[in-house]
Amino acid sequence: LAGFPGKREIPCPAQAGNVMILLLAGQSNAANHAGGRHASSYGDRIVNYFGGKCYRAESPLLGASGEMGESWTLLGNKLIASGLADRVVLIPVAVGGTSISRWRRGGDLNGMLLSVVDDARSRYRITHVLWHQGESDYFEKTSREEYTTRFFSLLASLRQHGVDAPIFPSMTTRCPKGPEWFPVNPTAQAQQALGCSDTAQSLSGGPGT
């Protein structure tokens, strides 16, 4: 999504003080395919960075594939309300319906991801990477080992492009439109183990949620 009615460019905030710079990657729930729409409750203190420009954060966010709702702007509101951040910069790079194989090094979306990273690094140091993906791999019956290997390939490509921020993987495997769902499954097991690894963290500091 490169444009949407009502989007108005604003000055990009400087990365000074308590500013969170969030790289937001994954599939549908990370990519404007959710139901609820949100807008910044703090004006220009929460921005959507896309293509070298900034916009006040409001669903749908530029840089992701859908045109519906998302939770990242709501997260920005909560981060400021809680005092964890003074400003939040949201950098979406997510595509609905995608498996992790497309995001790993050599996958068709990895180059796009890294181009967004390189563009953002010209202005910002990314402080957090939020990875929200897994439904497609549940459908495809990706093994725990395959998911883990592909995740660390993705992570290695980010590290090679200068992203030293912690990455926070979600446990995301359920989709109402998909096949019968079982909470204990290889993708979920891989994601939970990633939350306990040295290079991936959960938002709570424990296993991925």
Side-chain angles (χ1 to χ4, degrees):
L1 186 66
F4 196 78
K7 298 290 185 181
R8 179 177 59 85
E9 184 182 352
I10 61 175
C12 287
Q15 189 168 3
N18 190 16
V19 179
M20 284 190 177
I21 313 295
L22 308 181
L23 180 67
L24 312 168
Q27 61 176 113
S28 56
N29 284 320
N32 298 325
H33 292 273
R37 288 188 171 184
H38 302 281
S40 170
S41 299
Y42 297 90
D44 296 352
R45 292 170 64 186
I46 307 174
V47 304
N48 174 190
Y49 179 88
F50 173 72
K53 299 177 181 180
C54 289
Y55 306 83
R56 182 177 296 180
E58 183 176 5
S59 308
L61 297 174
L62 302 183
S65 62
E67 296 186 354
M68 297 188 296
E70 43 77 41
S71 62
W72 305 123
T73 302
L74 177 62
L75 173 63
N77 287 334
K78 291 186 174 184
L79 288 171
I80 292 180
S82 67
L84 291 173
D86 295 326
R87 293 180 180 274
V88 178
V89 177
L90 306 173
I91 308 174
V93 51
V95 180
T98 54
S99 66
I100 198 169
S101 64
R102 298 183 63 187
W103 295 93
R104 63 177 172 82
R105 184 188 288 118
D108 66 306
L109 294 177
N110 187 258
M112 182 268 290
L113 169 66
L114 298 179
S115 69
V116 171
V117 166
D118 290 342
D119 172 70
R121 288 182 61 224
S122 66
R123 184 184 295 269
Y124 293 119
R125 178 183 63 82
I126 293 167
T127 62
H128 302 78
V129 180
L130 306 186
W131 175 250
H132 196 289
Q133 185 275 340
E135 299 97 322
S136 291
D137 287 278
Y138 179 82
F139 301 165
E140 296 175 11
K141 295 182 168 54
T142 302
S143 72
R144 177 174 176 171
E145 294 75 17
E146 288 172 329
Y147 193 93
T148 301
T149 298
R150 292 166 185 173
F151 177 88
F152 281 110
S153 174
L154 159 66
L155 180 58
S157 69
L158 290 173
R159 296 291 186 246
Q160 290 179 349
H161 276 249
V163 178
D164 59 3
I167 183 167
F168 297 85
S170 64
M171 276 185 63
T172 310
T173 59
R174 185 176 186 179
C175 179
K177 297 180 181 180
E180 184 179 5
W181 179 76
F182 299 94
V184 179
N185 62 76
T187 298
Q189 290 172 329
Q191 292 168 340
Q192 186 170 20
L194 291 172
C196 297
S197 73
D198 292 335
T199 50
Q201 301 177 28
S202 74
L203 290 174
S204 63
T209 54

